[in-house]
Amino acid sequence: MSDDLDYYALLGVPSDADAETIRLAFRRLARRYHPDVAGEGTLARMQQLTLAYRVLGDPDQRRLYDLQHGIVARPPAPPPAPTPSPARPPSRPYAPERRPPPPPPPPPTRSAPASRAPRRGTVAVQGDMLRRQAALTTPDATPIAGLAFDATGTLLAAGLLDGRVRLWDPARETVTRTLDFGPTSGAGVLQEVRLSAQGRYAAAWGLQLGTRLWRAADGTPLWTAGFSAPSDLMDVTLLEEPAIARLALPDAPPALGDDDPFRWAHEGRGGTSVFSRTLGGPASPSDAIPLRCIEPGAGRAGRGQPGEGVRVQWRQLSADGRQLLTCGLTGVRGEPRRTLNLWDLERRSLLGAPQPHRITVLSLRPESAGFPMAVTADLSHIAVTFGAVGLRLHAVPQRSAPVDVPAGGVPQDAHIALAPGGRLLALARDDRLELWVPGELAPRQTWRLGDAVSALAFAGSLAAPRLAVGLRNGLLEVWGA
């Protein structure tokens, strides 16, 4: 990797950006550019971004990088004068200059982040299909990166961008437990969090955090691994009786994910390895033997040459761990198709050996099934972005005609979530949130929020759904029928 790369320019942040700004920039770029979504040509770019974040996300490495490149952090601003004075022009963004290295300056001291405006949740709401049941506040303004309910909706896990996981009792609006990845999590970027059906176990994973499973009651770590795939390319389901974690991962050795998750996802793009890991006891030899779900066209090994075969872009396990839904891009050199396959992970051969069985759910042109996507916990319904129309809801497997949600253009960084049975769909674009009943021509309820929505999750029953809304400013609201 070239030493001349400007890491700040790569991440699109100024040289005095705080740690939260750098995390958010990397998370946004990782979702946009990882090669199993954006295409083969972005792998090198994504590796550059990963290297830039590893340096700038670590305070010690960042200080050394700044010293080597002659970047001196802006000193703290003096207190305001008692009399008004003309406003100073904004500082120019950093632009590297080619000049002899200056004498080493003293270690830079970065100014504290400017005081934030008061954090706000819902600013305005129209409609009353769901009503606010809880408003939860984190001590700081760290963005919420992932949300997960237990099966009943009485326990809520909120994963913060920096790797902390807070377990909430929404009814009492209190935190019952805080989980973390330990002292090595300082520069990590959390991606997702999961809870088991009764809330006994929790899991979370993220870039430079790895994957960790806890016992929720006391926060005891049960299992830790160094890997984490890019967004939507791995999933975890936690079962309680027996206590098992089922993991859906790229079909390549997990050790590759310890150092370069994007290379790992690229190498394993032709299939999915499903591991079952015993919780609360010693590992079984069978824990290391995966069920392999190889996509049609990927070849016997599950991997093809660049630009050939199939590229898995999305993996989701059902809440009971019995099924896997994958979305793959096929026919890369011919007419591209986006194919959704449903895998029965409990199927066995005549000899009794596990043998996953595949059902093709959909095979559509990419513009008819785009990202973002959302699926119900039982994998019975999936919502996909559908061109300029908005979203389209499909039953899994196809038992009826798809239903449109005419929400207009949906950007790739939008957030969507489906209620049980696919009865409701939540769509967030920046600080705007809409609640749709699929098939209707207008949303039933709309919100304007005090900051951008960064995570959504549904829970509850068909009759009484609950929606959790996480914001970039660290606030969290729960709405229910």
Side-chain angles (χ1 to χ4, degrees), residues 55-71:
V55 172
L56 300 186
D58 181 274
D60 293 332
Q61 292 192 55
R62 183 179 179 184
R63 278 193 292 269
L64 179 60
Y65 176 84
D66 287 352
L67 286 170
Q68 291 173 341
H69 291 77
I71 302 171

Side-chain angles (χ1 to χ4, degrees), residues 292-354:
R292 297 185 70 214
C293 302
I294 306 303
E295 301 287 321
R300 295 181 61 186
R303 306 177 193 121
Q305 297 300 316
E308 295 181 352
V310 63
R311 189 166 65 241
V312 177
Q313 299 174 301
W314 192 75
R315 298 175 173 93
Q316 287 283 320
L317 288 162
S318 60
D320 61 8
R322 294 175 174 270
Q323 294 180 316
L324 168 72
L325 190 63
T326 61
C327 175
L329 188 65
T330 62
V332 176
R333 285 190 171 175
E335 181 186 4
R337 306 287 291 181
R338 187 158 279 142
T339 303
L340 281 85
N341 292 314
L342 181 67
W343 300 82
D344 179 357
L345 302 177
E346 300 295 316
R347 182 70 67 92
R348 293 185 175 271
S349 67
L350 295 176
L351 299 178

Side-chain angles (χ1 to χ4, degrees), residues 66-424:
D66 287 352
L67 286 170
Q68 291 173 341
H69 291 77
I71 302 171
V72 180
R74 187 172 54 195
T83 57
S85 59
R88 296 191 311 174
S91 58
R92 293 180 299 173
Y94 165 69
E97 300 179 10
R98 300 300 177 190
R99 58 184 179 183
T109 57
R110 298 189 177 276
S111 58
S115 59
R116 297 177 180 273
R119 291 185 284 165
R120 297 188 300 171
T122 295
V123 175
V125 60
Q126 294 182 345
D128 60 358
M129 188 172 190
L130 299 182
R131 299 187 178 185
R132 185 162 54 193
Q133 298 179 338
L136 313 175
T137 305
T138 58
D140 51 38
T142 303
I144 294 174
L147 293 168
F149 281 105
D150 65 0
T152 62
T154 57
L155 183 67
L156 174 62
L160 306 185
L161 187 68
D162 62 8
R164 291 172 292 164
V165 178
R166 293 183 178 272
L167 304 183
W168 291 89
D169 179 344
R172 295 182 174 86
E173 297 188 347
T174 58
V175 175
T176 62
R177 179 71 55 184
T178 298
L179 312 173
D180 63 61
F181 282 77
T184 61
S185 64
V189 180
L190 187 137
Q191 293 171 272
E192 286 292 350
V193 63
R194 295 285 186 269
L195 285 175
S196 61
Q198 298 179 35
R200 296 179 187 173
Y201 304 106
W205 60 93
L207 298 171
Q208 297 198 57
L209 290 172
T211 301
R212 179 162 289 197
L213 281 61
W214 299 269
R215 187 165 54 232
D218 57 10
T220 300
L222 299 176
W223 185 72
T224 300
F227 58 76
S228 174
S231 297
D232 299 326
L233 289 177
M234 67 173 282
D235 196 19
V236 177
T237 287
L238 302 170
L239 309 177
E240 296 185 341
E241 295 179 0
I244 293 173
R246 182 156 274 186
L247 300 92
L249 308 175
D251 187 46
L256 292 178
D258 293 357
D259 296 322
D260 191 340
F262 299 95
R263 174 63 67 182
W264 179 39
H266 181 73
E267 293 292 333
R269 65 193 182 278
T272 303
S273 291
V274 181
F275 292 86
S276 295
R277 176 68 169 83
T278 304
L279 298 177
S284 166
S286 62
D287 291 353
I289 303 174
L291 298 174
R292 297 185 70 214
C293 302
I294 306 303
E295 301 287 321
R300 295 181 61 186
R303 306 177 193 121
Q305 297 300 316
E308 295 181 352
V310 63
R311 189 166 65 241
V312 177
Q313 299 174 301
W314 192 75
R315 298 175 173 93
Q316 287 283 320
L317 288 162
S318 60
D320 61 8
R322 294 175 174 270
Q323 294 180 316
L324 168 72
L325 190 63
T326 61
C327 175
L329 188 65
T330 62
V332 176
R333 285 190 171 175
E335 181 186 4
R337 306 287 291 181
R338 187 158 279 142
T339 303
L340 281 85
N341 292 314
L342 181 67
W343 300 82
D344 179 357
L345 302 177
E346 300 295 316
R347 182 70 67 92
R348 293 185 175 271
S349 67
L350 295 176
L351 299 178
Q355 184 176 328
H357 175 68
R358 176 185 59 84
I359 302 171
T360 298
V361 178
L362 293 170
S363 180
L364 301 168
R365 292 183 177 180
E367 60 269 20
S368 299
F371 293 97
M373 297 181 177
V375 69
T376 55
D378 61 357
L379 305 187
S380 64
H381 293 81
I382 182 171
V384 300
T385 303
F386 183 54
V389 172
L391 297 159
R392 174 163 280 185
L393 182 69
H394 296 269
V396 180
Q398 283 182 291
R399 296 186 294 268
S400 58
V403 180
D404 286 345
V405 176
V410 178
Q412 195 172 32
D413 60 355
H415 296 272
I416 57 175
L418 278 175
R423 300 288 182 87
L424 296 173

